[in-house]
Amino acid sequence: MLAGEEYGTGSSARLGRQRPEPAGRARRGGAQSFERIHRSNLVGMGILPCQFQGADSIASLGLDGSERFDIVGLEAGLQAQQQIEMHITRANGQRQSVMLLARVDTPIEAQYLAQGGILAFVLRKLMNNKKAAHA
């Protein structure tokens, strides 16, 4: 998912109709900036919000939606406010790399994302507490 400035700004009714539906493991989005609550909601849904840096944008990078995007460098886990690299592969095979800012603002948000979102995080915690109580 790619977006411009203040992604997520607008009425809650309109945003509800535009709720991101990540396909499979493609659970990340890039924007120039995020509306505060919507950014938090993306994290809660297990979607990694990534922010373009400097002058980089959809327009400046010439992105049209036909590209393939790969986020690299997260093998060791995600940290709050981490710089991450995105590889762009265009339809003609041309490759380009840009740096993004992971808009994961706190360590607990990084834990939520590692578990697939808040719901999965809470369920795992409840299951672990239940197992510990029965041990």
Side-chain angles (χ1 to χ4, degrees):
M1 182 250 335
L2 297 172
E5 291 183 31
E6 287 299 307
Y7 172 67
T9 300
S11 74
S12 58
R14 183 178 63 82
L15 288 173
R17 290 189 303 272
Q18 296 177 349
R19 185 173 66 90
E21 294 287 345
R25 295 182 54 95
R27 298 178 67 89
R28 52 198 162 276
Q32 285 176 272
S33 60
F34 292 89
E35 188 277 330
R36 179 181 57 85
I37 294 171
H38 192 67
R39 183 210 60 81
S40 179
N41 289 341
L42 289 171
V43 171
M45 290 186 284
I47 299 171
L48 173 60
C50 301
Q51 188 167 318
F52 291 113
Q53 298 186 75
D56 287 344
S57 69
I58 294 169
S60 73
L61 295 169
L63 304 177
D64 64 16
S66 66
E67 303 84 1
R68 189 184 82 218
F69 303 96
D70 296 297
I71 303 291
V72 297
L74 296 178
E75 296 81 12
L78 177 66
Q79 303 296 315
Q81 294 288 302
Q82 181 176 338
Q83 301 285 321
I84 56 177
E85 186 174 5
M86 178 174 72
H87 293 172
I88 302 165
T89 305
R90 300 182 188 280
N92 66 6
Q94 179 187 2
R95 294 193 64 181
Q96 181 178 5
S97 293
V98 297
M99 295 304 291
L100 304 172
L101 175 64
R103 283 302 313 277
V104 177
D105 294 347
T106 65
I108 191 68
E109 287 183 340
Q111 290 179 29
Y112 293 158
L113 282 165
Q115 297 294 319
I118 289 176
L119 181 59
F121 175 85
V122 170
L123 289 175
R124 281 189 179 92
K125 191 169 189 168
L126 289 171
M127 289 174 54
N128 288 337
N129 289 344
K130 187 176 181 178
K131 287 179 186 177
H134 291 291

